Amino acid sequence: MSTNVADYVRTTLVRRGRWGIGEIVFWLIAAATLYFLPERHLILNEIAIIGLFALSLDLILGYAGIVSLGHAAFFGLGAYTAGILARDGIADPLLGLGAAAIAAAILGFVTSFLVLRGSDLTKLMVTLGVALVLGEIANQASWLTGGADGLQGITMGPILGLFEFDIFGTTAYAYSLTVTFLLFIVARRIVVSPYGLSLRSIRDNPLKARAVGIPVNHRLVAVYTLAAAYAGVAGALLAQTTQFVSLDVLAFHRSADVMLVLVIGGVGYLYGGLIGAIVFKVLQDVISAWTPQYWQFWIGLILVIIVLVGRERLTERVRVLWKGAAGRTAKSPETLQKTSAREV
Amino acid sequence: MLTILFDGIAYGMLLFVLACGLAVTLGLMNFVNLAHGAFAMAGGYVTAVLMNRIGVPFLATLPLAFIVPAILGLVLERTLYKRLYTRSHLDQVLFSIGLVFMAVAAVDYSFGSQQQLIQLPTWLQGRIDILGVQVGLYRSFIIVICGALVVALQLILTKTRFGSRLRAAVDDPRVARGLGINVSLIFATTFAFGSGLAGLGGALGAEILGLDPTFPLKFMIYFLIVVTVGGTTSITGPFLASLLLGIADVAGKYYVPSVGAFVIYTLMIVVLVLRPQGLFERAR
């Protein structure tokens, strides 16, 4: 009996772990933009970074159910870590990336114990508080961070000693996309593992999860730390590819934006963050070209409408389409986004 | 020293008037309304626009600074907010952040992004010396008004029929509904009233807190601190929390300006981790 269940779970997980055609097409298109959209690499680079950042939020929000309004804390810490290292002469990008991941993971590990307790509101406030404290520190410690002027004088060395960053952002985009892709594979592997399954059961019913013997707190600490490391890497990518860090990376609107990105794309499946990042950036680009100063209004309006129409209903429909696409007809992801945009 | 204490009390009272509506929203319907500051901003702008463009005297604008946000709150509550009471906190957070973004951009569009300055009447300017303590007249005025409001609110809550219904609804909405109390009407009323109070607070605080389109974002965290630290089931909890916050903030900025708001955020995290239900409440 129990082996039957174990077998069933194993086969289900293996089936879920298989790559669908839709997914492969998605990444092929992403890789193809390296050659076909050379004049858009700067914005594509931002999309890849925001996508990674949203992916990290999805790990804790979509898979573990932790509501966070202060995810920018890890993003900002990663950005400052990478930026300060580069300013002080350690110009190797990968080294900076690793250092940023470790710094953010340590902060994530320490603060994860704060979000284990209390209601959603408490978690919200605590995460927000952590981000604000970090923002204050970055503001006050201007000898280290440059304070309100931002961190200047970052010069990056070539990646792996081979690829120099260029002004068109092509190297930067290739770099960000590769890192995002690799981390995506890791995250994908994690969420289809038994560990990922246990996270989902914690999200759906923490009490029951505890009752069937899942060590809830350990799991949450682990995933929070992991997500923090991911966000740190995203921040480091931003710092390295734009060669500038300002207090903006720790600001509240960054935490709010990433949540919005994730919500647009859909919470609880890994492509949500990536698709959301594409839609969000394109929207932002279009709207701010149209009303440069007031694009926030329309973003807010979209948010309100998404919530009123029903977040789950929208993403559920996209997910069904996605499954259909991945399973049978192999539609390209581009058509999927148009569908979701029309339904918004 | 005493002057700082005095300023802190005025600041705290102001925070209380601004935030007490949020306490009711959160306590009564368990709704996380991050857009509360937008109503305060509405009140502030009503006063600023009436004074600067039409030339209405300061005191005469205050009732309108209450009424306009109250009506705004009522309309939004009936049309939008009430659909979201049963939704998850995440939905509520997203919705209210969306509202904040819209409010910030809309105000920026209509009135510009600069600070709105209001000219206080001369009898409220300046400081006087009471027993060797420098006391700002406007701050005394705020303390008197807000103090009166606190007493009035406390009386309404404890002595009137509406107050006991409200308390019943906060304690257990389902049972209250079962006893024939119209909870949704009560909620609409309190929401409007809370928004109105926030507007009044925004108008009174325009001189002290400053008033520009980013007001709701800047002070959101303060309102949330008041509510989460003070708890939501009484009026004394948030009141004490706002006084503490006001005094700590003013004293902190005066004595250790380099540390800034750092202390307050850290304290908030510590309080929330140790007592998630609020500082002044019994654990349930």
Side-chain angles (χ1 to χ4, degrees):
Chain A
M1 179 63 199
S2 69
T3 51
N4 274 348
V5 174
D7 279 344
Y8 174 71
V9 171
R10 195 167 300 129
T11 47
T12 313
L13 286 179
V14 167
R15 200 171 61 234
R16 269 197 212 159
R18 237 174 255 151
W19 283 75
I21 298 172
E23 293 179 76
I24 295 170
V25 171
F26 180 90
W27 287 106
L28 282 180
I29 292 177
T33 52
L34 268 175
Y35 298 98
F36 294 118
L37 287 172
E39 72 281 10
R40 293 243 161 231
H41 280 167
L42 287 175
I43 191 172
L44 283 169
N45 178 39
E46 275 183 56
I47 290 178
I49 291 169
I50 292 174
L52 181 63
F53 189 26
L55 175 72
S56 89
L57 181 66
D58 201 16
L59 283 177
I60 59 168
L61 179 64
Y63 286 91
I66 302 172
V67 184
S68 167
L69 253 189
H71 211 49
F74 308 117
F75 187 81
L77 182 66
Y80 271 113
T81 308
I84 289 168
L85 276 183
R87 185 192 60 183
D88 295 347
I90 305 173
D92 185 58
L94 293 180
L95 210 62
L97 222 54
I102 291 169
I106 291 172
L107 181 69
F109 180 74
V110 173
T111 54
S112 68
F113 296 100
L114 305 178
V115 298
L116 292 178
R117 291 189 63 181
S119 61
D120 278 354
L121 180 68
T122 318
K123 287 174 187 164
L124 214 82
M125 293 291 300
V126 169
T127 50
L128 183 60
V130 170
L132 286 169
V133 166
L134 239 66
E136 269 305 303
I137 293 176
N139 189 18
Q140 298 293 341
S142 49
W143 53 274
L144 184 66
T145 61
D149 295 334
L151 191 67
Q152 279 153 354
I154 300 177
T155 38
M156 294 313 303
I159 304 161
L160 296 171
L162 297 172
F163 307 103
E164 284 280 357
F165 285 102
D166 56 296
I167 55 160
F168 306 106
T170 305
T171 318
Y173 174 48
Y175 174 52
S176 300
L177 187 65
T178 316
V179 172
T180 302
F181 180 60
L182 292 178
L183 288 179
F184 175 83
I185 292 177
V186 175
R188 196 178 180 288
R189 187 71 198 86
I190 288 172
V191 300
V192 296
S193 70
Y195 170 78
L197 211 57
S198 73
L199 281 183
R200 266 189 244 193
S201 63
I202 292 171
R203 173 196 66 189
D204 291 340
N205 194 336
L207 218 58
K208 222 181 238 178
R210 208 183 290 268
V212 299
I214 298 171
V216 172
N217 285 359
H218 286 118
R219 296 282 149 102
L220 290 180
V221 167
V223 76
Y224 200 75
T225 309
L226 179 78
Y230 267 50
V233 170
L237 284 177
L238 185 74
Q240 294 178 343
T241 52
T242 57
Q243 314 210 339
F244 180 68
V245 186
S246 69
L247 287 176
D248 180 66
V249 293
L250 285 161
F252 168 74
H253 75 85
R254 214 169 257 283
S255 303
D257 278 354
V258 71
M259 201 174 234
L260 172 62
V261 164
L262 188 58
V263 165
I264 289 178
V267 181
Y269 73 121
L270 288 178
Y271 285 93
L274 302 177
I275 294 175
I278 301 170
V279 176
F280 179 79
K281 253 320 182 192
V282 170
L283 268 180
Q284 191 187 14
D285 210 33
V286 171
I287 298 175
S288 56
W290 171 42
T291 54
Q293 223 175 331
Y294 311 111
W295 67 276
Q296 255 195 344
F297 179 86
W298 302 104
I299 295 285
L301 186 66
I302 291 169
L303 203 51
V304 167
I305 290 174
I306 288 179
V307 173
L308 285 178
V309 171
R311 208 156 45 77
E312 281 82 11
R313 243 187 324 162
L314 283 174
T315 51
E316 202 51 48
R317 212 168 292 175
V318 176
R319 215 178 309 181
V320 169
L321 275 176
W322 177 266
K323 267 189 194 143
R328 277 164 288 140
T329 47
K331 279 184 215 157
S332 73
E334 241 70 24
T335 52
L336 286 180
Q337 286 148 29
K338 274 182 201 136
T339 326
S340 71
R342 193 167 63 233
E343 274 164 7
V344 168
Chain B
M1 169 63 202
L2 279 175
T3 313
I4 292 167
L5 189 67
F6 183 79
D7 284 358
I9 291 174
Y11 188 37
M13 290 238 180
L14 206 53
L15 278 179
F16 173 74
V17 172
L18 281 164
C20 66
L22 186 63
V24 176
T25 330
L26 202 63
L28 186 52
M29 280 306 188
N30 198 16
F31 189 98
V32 184
N33 183 17
L34 298 186
H36 191 71
F39 296 107
M41 180 172 65
Y45 271 92
V46 167
T47 291
V49 167
L50 282 180
M51 283 181 71
N52 295 342
R53 300 208 179 157
I54 309 175
V56 181
F58 177 67
L59 279 187
T61 63
L62 290 183
L64 277 172
F66 177 86
I67 291 168
V68 172
I71 292 173
L72 203 65
L74 189 66
V75 170
L76 281 177
E77 200 276 331
R78 285 290 92 187
T79 51
L80 298 177
Y81 276 91
K82 70 169 185 171
R83 297 160 190 263
L84 294 166
Y85 292 146
T86 52
R87 298 281 198 80
S88 67
H89 277 147
L90 178 61
D91 275 339
Q92 298 170 353
V93 165
L94 292 168
F95 171 77
S96 45
I97 288 183
L99 278 190
V100 170
F101 280 174
M102 284 167 74
V104 168
V107 167
D108 194 350
Y109 177 73
S110 339
F111 304 107
S113 60
Q114 75 279 17
Q115 281 271 347
Q116 296 289 325
L117 300 174
I118 59 169
Q119 185 65 39
L120 291 175
T122 42
W123 56 274
L124 279 175
Q125 291 171 356
R127 289 175 172 263
I128 49 164
D129 207 75
I130 299 177
L131 303 173
V133 182
Q134 289 278 313
V135 169
L137 277 175
Y138 185 58
R139 287 183 167 74
S140 331
F141 173 73
I142 284 179
I143 290 184
V144 170
I145 290 205
C146 297
L149 276 174
V150 171
V151 173
L153 284 177
Q154 181 67 17
L155 285 178
I156 290 175
L157 206 59
T158 52
K159 297 282 191 244
T160 65
R161 200 173 180 80
F162 180 79
S164 46
R165 282 186 177 148
L166 177 61
R167 278 180 295 142
V170 170
D171 268 355
D172 194 329
R174 280 184 62 198
V175 174
R177 208 171 275 132
L179 288 170
I181 297 174
N182 189 344
V183 174
S184 96
L185 180 72
I186 286 188
F187 188 65
T189 321
T190 25
F191 192 97
F193 198 71
S195 309
L197 280 180
L200 186 61
L204 286 173
E207 165 78 11
I208 295 177
L209 309 175
L211 186 66
D212 61 41
T214 57
F215 184 87
L217 284 172
K218 256 194 291 189
F219 287 94
M220 181 183 80
I221 183 74
Y222 282 83
F223 304 154
L224 286 172
I225 291 175
V226 167
V227 173
T228 41
V229 171
T232 53
T233 51
S234 67
I235 224 165
T236 38
F239 181 60
L240 290 176
S242 359
L243 282 187
L244 264 181
L245 178 62
I247 294 168
D249 200 33
V250 171
K253 274 177 188 150
Y254 187 80
Y255 288 117
V256 273
S258 59
V259 181
F262 183 78
V263 178
I264 285 169
Y265 300 146
T266 322
L267 273 179
M268 174 195 78
I269 295 175
V270 171
V271 167
L272 282 175
V273 168
L274 296 180
R275 293 186 65 85
Q277 72 278 8
L279 201 55
F280 306 107
E281 272 182 53
R282 280 165 289 138
R284 290 199 197 179

